[in-house]
């Protein structure tokens, strides 16, 4: 045991968390620590004797079963058991097939030296089955988690049972922090090539021959899978005669990726069969994905024409166009649809190369100029009909229309089958189906079809073997009842109502046509119901039952009428209003500080008004989902509308019989309308929700466009688009002068050439004769050596503003200047070096990302953050593109969280696709630079699959291309095709190649935005600019190729001559002779001939004061403003002033007059340093940023209330006042005096109300409430997890009176705090942080204890020789977690309680500061306990 004890102690002394030095994860600093070693020696005893007995019994059973080997066990027993294992393994192998399974593939890398293992530092696909980890663990540094590992040299000095039982206890839990957990799976699959193998296994000198034989039996000799390699390398003919195949293995199919890897892994890496089809199909990738569901659908010519009208009618109301432009607008939409669906051009291509079809040109006459006879008499005006956003909307609407047509086709096929097989002729379907223009109307027709013809559809299903074109549904019980009525004599009473549902709907629609009149029968309804012609026993034996059934049937026919539903739907959309009604739960939970209070009493909201406030409506639906409000839709004019409907259904006769029948008709109508109200409300709410989500998505797109539409930061004197050299620095959340300031130097090509840390940037003062600090001198030297164009600064704390001021001061006082540039007079100039605060939203995501670790493994996270800041200045668009799907983490609109992520991602993708295609991509740069390659998936026609294929083929073709035509296959030249002709047409102009005048094959137009289809136009314009005749052109092209004319234009530096060309004449000839509208294209060619791929983005946008404030503090104008009462921590107290700091890091000053109403009392007598108090913000300076505060009691009593924007009749003030009085009465009648604590988190709740309130809040949120234990107690309830809440009893001491808070707050008898804010921060929030830590740990299982134990059991069954453990929450004891573990297949499941306490975890009465220490401590405790039992 001495060796084991020495190993445990040695590892504990070397543990990173308990050594004398610790590593700062943000800055990479090594900081000194003076904490002692918190190790565990000796034996840990469980408090429960019963558990000890169980463990002893389990250990004894493990010894009996051979799982644990006693120290005194002799070698004969060991050899006997080894022989039995060998025999058992041989029997298992004989039962297995000889095919290649996942474990075999794992071993190929070890057995076959020629097989290259995968590098462990790259992200690869995970194997379906994991390989063994013994080899991996031998190469890893030893830690506490490895104390159970097998080591033959220690067999004599420690119990063998511990080695066997715990050799692989923690499969992925390593104590050394240098091990990358993300790389473990790759390391498991890719065995190191440097291993020495003997017969396919690692040679071990310490093993005897029997052990080596065991290893050979387990791992083979290295030639078992030669056939698998042969399968991959040889074709069918070679395999036929050269490889022995006694078992017929070679006849099996070739191994594919899907045979080896999990489907989810293949989908993540875009390697499924569907992904390969997308790569190979010559169609834009985004089109293939979007139209996948409609591959079978082909639109007719009439449907295409109808589609253009349908889309135009949807978009036109949102456009502010004159009436005379409506017809051109519809033609433009039709042409765009042709480009999208027939030509299969993507939006960027249409916008760039078919721009003339988005504009309507018209000629207007001008008044003659009496002073100028040569003045033009006409003028051409261009009206922009569609913008780029409209084109994307047309794309989306095209998909919706296809879905509409697809469903209509299915219904038509079903109806045609009914007509052919059952002779059905239904005028309602034939009228309504072709005219349906929405999914709602089609659904109405489908509901009518299944209601009216359910029996025939059932027969059709039987005849056709359930083939009804996908439209048949199993009829519900209500449908069967109505079908029974329809087949009975009672249906005669339905006909006696005198008007059909369709005829009534025709009257209600008020369409042109003859009014349908209602006829009264000769008998009263009750008399007719009692007649033998109607009674139909046994189902309908009485007249009352018959009348009720008939009335219900007639109401259902009205309810199912597509025409009537259309009438009702038009009414609701036209006149409907929305009321928001609070529920009983909302009454208690939504107070005047709640974000939902803005609509708690909102009434009479027109649908159009809600459409203009989409965020508010989505919040209302979210509140309804949480059970806090009810969103109700009503029609104020419903009473008048119903009066009109009554007149449409009633007869005009005057008699008792007519009155009786009219009464029955009105009741049937009321029943039908009440049922329709439900589906109308649901439809309106869903339609409004979809419209509001699209609107929020549009807002996000617009905001993203602004962020993307930024050129690189332009150094002074440089052209727009020049890449700057950047020195980026940040102090993160650090304190100026105390914490490290990390910096990085980023060259213009993106390389990080230098980085480092500074702490003290204090400038020396001449008046005090003090020198600059060493860090200031280093900064000055760096700037003078590297000559940066700009210094970038950012961070996520208010202290960053101090760093900005400090660096700006250094630049000014030490006269640091930027790059020298030449002004218009040719004089060299240089300006003071720019210092800017940079938007860091991308940098925050980058610093801890896998990509950052992969690109800069040696840099600290804060330095990586600086690198991202610099790259953002160099090209914002590339930084956003590199985020991929993580772009959703950036906030573009405050309400985007109420919209499904897929919708937001789609809108954001359209924005970046537009901007990337405006800027273009240099294709050879993309091949060599992965950073640039991130832009390729957004190129027109491409996507992630086609982009990767493009790069792969270019590399196969030589690694670079000389012209755009090289992207297309050329069999004669032996060139593979990177893209097909159709995709090439889409992407060609957006992939450019730098022009090289020294290269004869280089074409200048390949470096422009000009599409290859327009190269002839460009060459023609160049020839006309050079005034060359046809003979000169032919001679020049014959000698130097097709691009010779443009090359000559560039060589002669005569590009400006193209400005003399009259492009209108070119355009007229093209339209007249070739029917091509190219006016805008000609302008593009002229611009590109002068300056190819000019930077069209706007200048880099510096952050505004409000944006900087939000970035550094996390507060917006809504979350922090003047008048709010906030908690502050006092930092300094004088006699007549108080300095404090807000939670967001802003410093605040309390002047003398705002401290107290008692001028005779000093501030030092009232307040102390580190005390947390409530203060009111009287002035907020967002630029500095600082705040002026007030501590006066009378001001603190006035609560802040946000102004709510609503009209006078849109807020139910009466209900609001009634609710306030009701809540006050509830407080007054309670059994004890209601305490009111002046704290923003205080609520007058009991425990149940507190849990309801916290139900929708985030984990760790808190409520302070009165305690039932008396006036000297408070209760603090906080949310541990979903449906798990901990109630903390707080004892108040040193109270001045029974209503005031205690000066000392005691929790659990051992935690003392001076006020509630300190208690929340240092007790509750500290525990919440620990809860987050354990729930984010790899060993945490989401689920109950039973689920976790089931998982452990499954794991040990799959890995009989391994053991494992996991954590799960204990919902019955809030603040506790279960540590469940199973030490092998036959071991008993055990569980220990882990208690969360402030700043630590408690296990077996031992405290551990973090999860790593907890896991290692658990291993030590368990090992020592098992060792003690074996003594």
């Amino acid at each position: 045991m001495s060796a084991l004890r020495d190993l445990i102690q040695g590892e504990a002394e070397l543990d990173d968390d308990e050594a004398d030095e610790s590593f700062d994860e943000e800055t990479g600093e090594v900081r000194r620590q003076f904490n002692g070693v918190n190790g565990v020696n000796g034996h840990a005893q469980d408090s429960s004797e019963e558990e000890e007995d169980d463990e002893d019994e389990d250990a004894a059973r493990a010894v009996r079963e051979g799982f644990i080997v006693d120290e005194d066990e002799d070698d004969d027993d060991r050899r006997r058991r080894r022989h039995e294992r060998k025999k058992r393994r041989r029997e298992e192998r004989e039962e297995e097939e000889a095919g290649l399974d996942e474990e075999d593939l794992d071993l190929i890398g070890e057995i076959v030296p020629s097989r290259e293992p995968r590098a462990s530092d790259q992200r690869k696909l995970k194997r379906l089955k994991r390989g063994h980890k013994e080899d991996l663990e031998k190469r890893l540094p030893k830690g506490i988690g490895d104390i159970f590992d097998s080591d033959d040299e220690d067999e004599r000095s420690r119990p063998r049972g511990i080695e066997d039982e715990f050799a692989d206890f923690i499969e992925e839990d390593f104590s050394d922090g240098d091990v990358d957990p993300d790389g473990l799976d790759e390391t498991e699959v890719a065995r190191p090539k440097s291993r020495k193998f003997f017969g396919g296994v690692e040679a071990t000198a310490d093993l005897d021959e029997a052990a080596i034989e065991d290893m050979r039996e387990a791992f083979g000799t290295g030639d078992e899978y030669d056939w698998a390699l042969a399968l991959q390398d040889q074709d069918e003919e070679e395999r036929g005669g050269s490889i022995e195949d006694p078992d017929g293995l070679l006849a099996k199919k070739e191994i594919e990726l899907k045979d080896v890897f999990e489907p989810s892994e293949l989908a993540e890496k875009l390697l499924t069969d569907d992904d390969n089809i997308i790569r190979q199909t010559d169609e834009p990738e985004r089109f293939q994905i979007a139209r996948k569901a409609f591959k079978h659908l082909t639109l007719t010519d009439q449907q295409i024409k109808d589609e253009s009208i349908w889309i135009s009618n949807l978009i036109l109301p949102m456009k502010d166009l004159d009436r005379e432009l409506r017809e051109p607008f519809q033609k433009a939409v039709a042409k765009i649809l042709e480009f999208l669906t027939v030509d299969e051009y993507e939006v960027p291509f249409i916008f760039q190369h078919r721009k003339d079809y988005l504009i309507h040109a018209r000629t207007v006459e001008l008044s003659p100029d009496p002073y100028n006879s040569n003045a033009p008499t006409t003028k051409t005006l261009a009206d922009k009909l569609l913008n780029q956003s409209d084109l994307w909307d047309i794309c989306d609407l095209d998909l919706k229309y296809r879905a509409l047509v697809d469903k209509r086709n299915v219904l038509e096929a079903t109806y045609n089958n009914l007509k052919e097989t059952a002779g059905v002729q239904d005028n309602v379907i034939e009228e309504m189906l072709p005219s349906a223009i929405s999914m709602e109307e089609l659904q109405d027709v489908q509901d009518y079809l299944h209601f009216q013809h359910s029996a025939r559809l059932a027969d059709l299903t039987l005849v056709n073997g359930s083939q009804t074109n996908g439209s048949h549904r199993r009829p519900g019980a209500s449908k069967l009842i109505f079908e029974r009525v329809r087949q009975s004599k009672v249906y005669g009473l339905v006909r006696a109502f005198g008007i059909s549902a369709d005829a009534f709907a025709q009257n209600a629609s008020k369409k042109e046509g003859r009014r349908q009149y209602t006829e009264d029968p000769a008998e009263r309804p009750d008399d007719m119901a009692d007649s033998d012609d109607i009674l139909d026993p046994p189902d309908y034996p009485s007249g009352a039952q018959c009348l009720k059934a008939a009335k219900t049937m007639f109401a259902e026919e009205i309810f199912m009428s597509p025409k009537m539903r259309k009438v009702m739907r038009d009414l609701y959309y036209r006149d409907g209003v929305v009321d928001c009604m609070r529920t009983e739960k909302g009454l208690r939970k939504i107070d005047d500080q709640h974000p939902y209070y803005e609509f708690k009493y909102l009434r009479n909201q027109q649908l159009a008004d809600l459409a203009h406030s989409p965020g508010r409506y989505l919040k209302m639906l979210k509140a309804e989902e949480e059970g806090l409000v009810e969103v109700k839709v009503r029609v104020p004019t419903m009473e008048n509308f119903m009066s009109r409907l009554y007149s449409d259904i009633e007869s005009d006769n005057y008699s008792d019989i007519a009155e009786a029948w009219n009464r029955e008709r009105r009741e049937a109508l009321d029943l039908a309308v009440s049922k329709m109200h439900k589906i109308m409300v649901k439809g309106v709410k869903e339609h409004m929700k979809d419209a509001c989500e699209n609107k929020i998505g549009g807002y996000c797109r617009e905001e993203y466009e602004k962020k993307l539409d930024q050129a690189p930061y332009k150094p002074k004197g440089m052209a727009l688009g020049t890449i700057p050299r950047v020195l980026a620095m940040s102090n993160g959340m650090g304190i100026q002068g105390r914490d490290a300031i990390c910096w990085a130097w980023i060259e213009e090509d993106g390389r990080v050439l230098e980085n480092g840390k500074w702490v003290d940037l204090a400038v020396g003062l001449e008046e005090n004769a003090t020198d600059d600090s060493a860090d200031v001198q280093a900064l000055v030297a760096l700037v003078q050596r590297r000559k940066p164009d700009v210094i970038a600064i950012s961070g996520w704390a208010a202290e960053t503003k101090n760093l900005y001021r400090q660096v700006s001061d250094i630049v000014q006082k030490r006269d640091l200047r930027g790059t020298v540039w030449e002004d218009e007079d040719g004089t060299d100039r240089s300006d003071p070096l720019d210092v800017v605060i940079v938007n860091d939203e991308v940098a925050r995501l980058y610093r801890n990302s896998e990509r950052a670790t992969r690109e800069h493994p040696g840099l600290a996270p804060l330095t990586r953050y600086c690198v991202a800041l610099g790259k953002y200045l160099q090209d914002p668009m590339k930084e956003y593109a590199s985020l991929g799907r993580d772009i959703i983490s950036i906030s573009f609109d405050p309400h985007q969280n109420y919209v499904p992520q897929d919708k937001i991602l789609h809108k954001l993708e359209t924005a970046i696709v537009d901007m990337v295609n405006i800027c273009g991509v240099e294709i050879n740069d993309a091949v060599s630079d992965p950073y640039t390659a991130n832009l390729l998936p957004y190129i027109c026609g491409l996507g992630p699959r086609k982009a990767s294929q493009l790069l792969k083929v270019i590399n196969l073709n030589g690694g670079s291309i000389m012209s755009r035509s090289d992207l297309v296959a050329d069999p004669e030249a032996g060139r593979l095709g990177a893209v097909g002709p159709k995709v090439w047409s889409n992407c060609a102009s957006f992939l450019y190649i730098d022009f090289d005048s020294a290269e004869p094959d280089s074409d200048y137009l390949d470096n422009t935005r000009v599409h290859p289809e327009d190269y002839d136009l460009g060459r023609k314009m160049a020839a006309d600019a050079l005034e060359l005749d046809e003979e000169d052109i032919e001679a020049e092209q014959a000698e130097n190729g097709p691009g010779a004319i443009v090359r000559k234009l560039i060589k002669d530096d005569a590009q400006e001559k193209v400005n003399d060309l009259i492009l209108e004449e070119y355009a007229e000839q093209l339209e007249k002779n070739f029917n091509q509208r190219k006016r805008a294209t000609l302008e593009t060619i002229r611009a590109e001939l002068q300056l190819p791929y000019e930077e069209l983005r706007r200048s880099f946008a510096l952050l505004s004061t409000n944006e900087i404030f939000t970035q550094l503090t996390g507060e917006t104008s809504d979350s922090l403003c003047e008048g709010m009462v906030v908690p502050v921590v006092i930092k300094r107290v004088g006699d007549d002033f108080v300095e404090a700091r807000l939670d967001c890091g802003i410093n605040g000053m309390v002047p003398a007059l705002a401290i107290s109403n008692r001028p005779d009392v000093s501030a030092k007598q009232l307040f102390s340093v580190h005390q947390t108090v409530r203060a009111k913000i009287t002035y907020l300076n967002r630029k500095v940023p600082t705040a002026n505060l007030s501590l006066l009691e009378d001001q603190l009593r006035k609560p802040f209330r946000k102004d709510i924007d609503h009209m006078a009749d849109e807020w139910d003030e009466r209900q609001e006042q009634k609710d306030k009085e009701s809540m006050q009465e509830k407080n007054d009648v309670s059994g004890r005096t209601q305490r009111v604590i002046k704290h923003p988190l205080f609520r007058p709740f009991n425990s149940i109300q507190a849990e309801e309130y916290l139900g929708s809040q985030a984990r760790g949120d808190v409520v302070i409430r009165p305690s039932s234990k008396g006036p000297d107690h408070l209760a603090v309830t906080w949310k541990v997890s979903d449906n798990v809440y901990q109630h903390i009893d707080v004892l108040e001491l040193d109270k001045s009176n029974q209503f005031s808070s205690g000066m000392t707050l005691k929790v659990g008898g051992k935690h003392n705090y001076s006020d509630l804010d300190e208690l929340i921060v240092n007790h509750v929030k500290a525990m919440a942080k620990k809860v987050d830590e354990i729930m984010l740990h790899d060993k945490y299982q989401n689920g109950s204890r039973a689920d976790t134990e089931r998982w452990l059991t499954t794991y040990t069954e799959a890995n009989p020789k391994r053991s494992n453990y996991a954590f799960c929450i204990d919902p019955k004891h809030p603040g506790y977690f279960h540590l469940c573990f199973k030490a092998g297949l036959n071991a008993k499941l055990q569980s220990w309680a882990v208690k969360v306490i402030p700043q630590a975890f408690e296990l077996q009465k031992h405290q551990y500061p973090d999860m790593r220490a907890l896991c290692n401590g658990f291993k030590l405790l368990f090992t020592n306990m098992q060792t003690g039992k074996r003594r």
Side-chain angles (χ1 to χ4, degrees), residues 1324-1341:
V1324 179
K1325 293 298 183 182
M1327 288 195 296
K1329 185 177 180 181
K1330 290 300 170 186
V1331 170
D1332 288 340
E1333 187 176 346
I1334 194 171
M1335 295 185 77
L1336 294 174
H1337 194 264
D1338 292 339
K1339 290 295 181 181
Y1340 181 78
Q1341 291 285 323

Side-chain angles (χ1 to χ4, degrees), residues 58-68 81 84 1385-1387:
D58 178 74
R61 183 167 58 256
V63 172
R64 290 196 302 270
E65 295 172 354
F67 184 59
I68 301 175
R81 285 201 320 279
E84 291 175 356
L1385 175 62
N1386 299 316

Side-chain angles (χ1 to χ4, degrees), residues 948-959 967 976-979:
S948 62
Q949 180 76 1
L950 176 73
L951 296 176
K952 180 179 179 181
V953 173
I954 291 177
N955 283 315
L956 290 174
N957 286 338
L967 295 172
L976 299 174
V979 294

Side-chain angles (χ1 to χ4, degrees), residues 5 21 360 425 461 608 622 651 662 761 820 891 1000 1098 1129 1276 1328 1428:
R5 188 178 299 110
E21 294 180 340
H360 175 63
Q425 189 75 27
T461 302
K622 182 65 176 177
S651 70
N662 284 339
L761 292 182
V820 176
S891 176
R1098 300 174 183 175
V1129 178
V1276 174

Side-chain angles (χ1 to χ4, degrees), residues 1099-1114:
S1099 298
F1100 188 89
L1102 298 178
L1103 295 177
S1104 66
T1105 299
N1106 286 338
E1107 289 171 336
I1108 293 174
F1109 179 83
T1110 299
Q1111 176 174 304
L1112 300 184
T1113 65

Side-chain angles (χ1 to χ4, degrees), residues 104-137:
D104 297 329
L105 290 171
D106 276 348
L107 297 171
I108 290 177
E110 296 179 343
I111 297 170
V112 184
S114 62
R115 182 180 174 91
E116 286 288 327
R118 296 186 293 180
S120 62
D121 59 341
Q122 295 181 359
R123 186 72 174 171
K124 299 292 184 181
L125 289 172
K126 298 179 181 178
R127 297 303 303 268
L128 185 59
K129 292 184 179 179
R130 295 172 180 260
H132 301 291
K133 291 196 174 182
E134 288 82 359
D135 292 344
L136 171 65
E137 293 169 352

Side-chain angles (χ1 to χ4, degrees), residues 1244-1255:
F1245 293 162
N1246 57 30
S1247 60
I1248 297 176
Q1249 292 172 332
E1251 292 181 3
E1252 289 180 354
Y1253 177 81
L1254 293 171

